[in-house]
């Protein structure tokens, strides 16, 4: 791919990408022959747009430059619909020493109180945007911790970055607070702030006798302000956690016409089949979209057998042996029922979630890494089918961006070009040599240096 960079950086207004492998699921209104997974195609790029897509080898010969991709895979740019840019890259100063969910909550709270002024939040959020852009992401939704005065600080930073990056990234913001906060004057003020910022109303809830009323309150605030909703739900291994069903029930009860998203939904995977089916039926009827965060949930869930899934095991003979093993291997890997959701006709996307913070110590805001790790953890293979949509087309539609995440004639040539020719090759290596096109021109893919943040540690 490196040999294409000088040519595609030369502002060539008209050229062809030939002999490309495009995942058939990502082609829209382009009835090309496929082998079941890929279409072999030639793409004409003119003035930054895709103007023709033809079967490979069928374009008329002329003097227009053509760049042979040698069956390399072509994706549309990624859409990352669940991130936490405001938390990102604090691991160096606030590590999660035992890897548990509660320690992550405690570490982030302490760090935010001590450090989250406008400059700190701005620099870390911008670092995340630089990474996302360099890897080939085009649109990002970030949740923003928004209790008290932090809301105005972080939403102010978000709005500044949204304006500065408008020519490169589409940014959306979701408020993140405990749901009971919306029953306070501060919660109503936050809903007004979110509306003024063009954001999405969101939050996290836990099972309690008050949960239904808390969810109803958020729906009411959203309807009054014509806002969409995006919740964190059931991020646990406790089968009794069924907030997802509560949200779906509320969407139906309120006749909600906006988009509702629920993220994580981990406990769904440890519930009984009757309970799962009951929830899936409600979620489908309510048209709730699901986003799974496999990397973060692999990291946090069932840490040292802390899930209810292992309750019986912990109470049995393993209790006596626990002292012999100060750490234990997880029996459950934390992900939700992605296949069952998809087979039920419920849209499901995958996203980055946290990066280098107490909730997830790794990550680089890379849509390909998300898809690769999801493929491995959730077994999105044999066959790969249309799972390529889960980090492109599906999140774009759930975010209200229907022109993104697909390849079709007339769209902007915002593409990611890989040397890999098949999914087995794509997921085997990091694809660090990929080429990212924005409006038909290759961008500088230099990643920001971690040293840029050293003075924040």
């Amino acid at each position: 791919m490196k040999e294409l960079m000088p040519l595609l950086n030369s502002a060539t207004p008209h050229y062809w990408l030939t002999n490309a492998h495009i995942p058939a699921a990502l082609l829209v209104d382009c009835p090309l022959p496929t082998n079941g997974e890929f279409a072999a195609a030639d793409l004409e790029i003119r003035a930054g747009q895709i103007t023709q897509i033809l079967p490979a080898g069928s374009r008329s010969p002329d003097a227009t430059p053509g760049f042979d991709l040698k069956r390399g895979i072509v994706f549309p740019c990624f859409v990352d619909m669940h991130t936490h840019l405001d938390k990102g890259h604090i691991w160096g100063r606030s590590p999660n020493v035992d890897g548990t969910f509660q320690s992550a909550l405690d570490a982030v709270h302490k760090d935010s109180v001590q450090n989250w002024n406008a400059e700190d939040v701005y620099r870390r959020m911008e670092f995340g945007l630089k990474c996302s852009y360099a890897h080939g992401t085009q649109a990002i939704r970030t949740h923003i911790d928004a209790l008290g005065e932090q809301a105005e600080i972080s939403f102010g930073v978000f709005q500044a970055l949204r304006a500065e990056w408008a020519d490169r990234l589409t940014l959306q913001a979701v408020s993140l607070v405990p749901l009971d906060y919306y029953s306070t004057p501060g919660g109503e003020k936050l809903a007004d702030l979110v509306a003024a910022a063009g954001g999405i109303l969101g939050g996290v809830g836990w099972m309690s006798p008050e949960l239904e009323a808390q969810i109803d309150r958020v729906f009411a605030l959203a309807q009054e302000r014509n806002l969409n909703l995006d919740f964190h739900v059931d991020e646990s291994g406790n089968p009794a956690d069924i907030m997802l069903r509560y949200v779906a029930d509320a969407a139906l009860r309120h006749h909600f016409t906006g988009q509702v998203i629920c993220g994580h939904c981990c406990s769904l995977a440890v519930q009984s089949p009757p309970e799962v089916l009951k929830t899936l039926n409600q979620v489908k009827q309510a048209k709730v979209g699901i986003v799974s965060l496999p990397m973060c949930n692999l990291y946090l869930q069932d840490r040292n057998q802390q899930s209810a899934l292992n309750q019986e095991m912990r109470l049995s003979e393993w209790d006596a042996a626990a002292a012999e093993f100060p750490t234990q291997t997880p029996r459950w890997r934390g992900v939700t029922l992605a296949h069952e959701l998809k087979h039920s006709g419920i849209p499901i996307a995958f996203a980055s979630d946290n990066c280098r913070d107490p909730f997830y110590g790794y990550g680089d805001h890379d849509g390909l890494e998300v898809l690769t790790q999801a493929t491995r953890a959730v077994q999105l293979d044999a066959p790969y089918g249309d799972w390529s949509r889960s980090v492109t087309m599906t999140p774009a539609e759930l975010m209200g961006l229907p022109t993104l995440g697909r390849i079709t004639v007339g769209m902007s040539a915002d593409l990611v070009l890989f040397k890999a020719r098949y999914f087995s090759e794509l997921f085997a290596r990091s694809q660090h040599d990929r080429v990212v096109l924005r409006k038909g021109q290759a961008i500088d893919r230099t990643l920001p240096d971690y040293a840029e943040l050293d003075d924040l540690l």
Side-chain angles (χ1 to χ4, degrees), residues 221-408:
L221 290 171
Q223 286 179 311
E224 290 168 3
R225 292 158 181 81
N226 196 30
L227 298 175
N228 292 326
L229 290 165
D230 193 328
F231 297 96
H232 283 61
V233 307
D234 304 332
E235 194 174 359
S236 79
N238 186 347
D241 287 349
I242 57 169
M243 181 178 163
L244 175 59
R245 189 187 305 169
Y246 276 50
V247 170
D249 289 346
L252 294 170
R253 186 166 61 250
H254 288 265
H255 306 285
F256 192 72
T257 57
Q259 178 66 69
V260 180
I261 303 296
C262 286
H264 295 289
C265 311
C266 305
S267 67
L268 191 67
V270 295
Q271 293 168 6
S272 69
E275 290 299 303
V276 168
L277 290 174
K278 185 176 180 179
T279 295
L280 295 186
N281 287 336
Q282 290 297 93
V283 169
K284 182 178 181 179
Q285 187 178 351
K287 299 181 180 179
V288 173
I290 305 298
V291 56
S292 176
L293 299 313
M295 296 191 297
C296 183
N297 290 142
L298 283 168
Y299 184 78
L300 287 175
Q301 295 302 308
D302 210 14
R303 173 75 65 161
N304 290 344
Q305 299 188 46
Q306 292 302 305
S307 77
L309 181 70
N310 293 309
Q311 187 76 16
E312 184 175 329
M313 182 178 293
R314 290 200 307 275
L315 293 176
S316 67
E317 63 268 19
W318 271 106
D319 259 357
E324 302 282 337
F325 309 111
T327 60
Q328 294 92 45
T329 303
R331 268 55 169 187
W332 169 59
R333 301 309 293 119
V335 293
T336 192
L337 297 182
H339 291 276
E340 291 82 350
L341 286 158
K342 185 169 180 290
H343 289 311
S344 298
I346 298 165
I348 177 166
F350 296 101
S352 293
D353 207 9
N354 302 71
C355 281
R356 298 183 60 245
D357 70 28
F359 286 91
Y360 183 57
Y362 316 112
D364 201 33
H365 311 273
D366 181 2
L368 178 63
E369 182 188 18
V370 173
L371 183 58
T372 299
Q373 296 304 327
T375 299
R376 295 169 179 171
V378 192
Q379 298 177 353
L380 308 180
D381 51 14
Y384 293 100
D386 61 3
W387 285 111
S388 55
R389 294 179 178 176
S390 64
V391 293
T392 53
M393 187 184 301
T394 299
E397 291 172 346
L398 291 175
M399 290 172 64
L401 305 170
T403 63
L404 303 188
R406 63 203 62 216
I407 296 177
T408 190

Side-chain angles (χ1 to χ4, degrees), residues 81-82 141 143 174 200-203 228-232 261 263:
M81 74 167 296
H82 184 124
R141 176 178 287 187
H143 295 257
V174 185
I200 298 101
L201 208 60
N228 292 326
L229 290 165
D230 193 328
F231 297 96
H232 283 61
I261 303 296

Side-chain angles (χ1 to χ4, degrees), residues 200-224:
I200 298 101
L201 208 60
V204 57
W206 296 273
M207 300 305 298
S208 75
E210 296 79 31
L211 180 59
E212 185 174 293
Q214 292 169 0
I215 294 172
D216 282 341
R217 172 62 174 163
V218 180
F219 271 86
L221 290 171
Q223 286 179 311
E224 290 168 3

Side-chain angles (χ1 to χ4, degrees), residues 26-72:
L26 299 179
L27 277 170
V28 176
D29 298 325
C30 299
L32 300 185
T34 75
N35 64 5
E37 288 188 332
F38 295 99
D42 295 341
L43 292 84
E44 183 185 33
I45 312 297
R46 187 194 295 265
Q49 284 195 320
I50 299 174
T51 50
Q52 287 192 78
I53 303 176
L54 303 175
S58 66
R59 77 179 183 102
S60 301
D62 57 24
T64 307
F67 306 128
D68 186 356
L69 299 185
K70 301 177 182 178
R71 291 183 293 168

Side-chain angles (χ1 to χ4, degrees), residues 84 151 162 170 192 239 306 341 410 423:
H84 291 268
R162 181 174 59 187
T170 298
D192 290 337
Q306 292 302 305
L341 286 158
F423 286 123

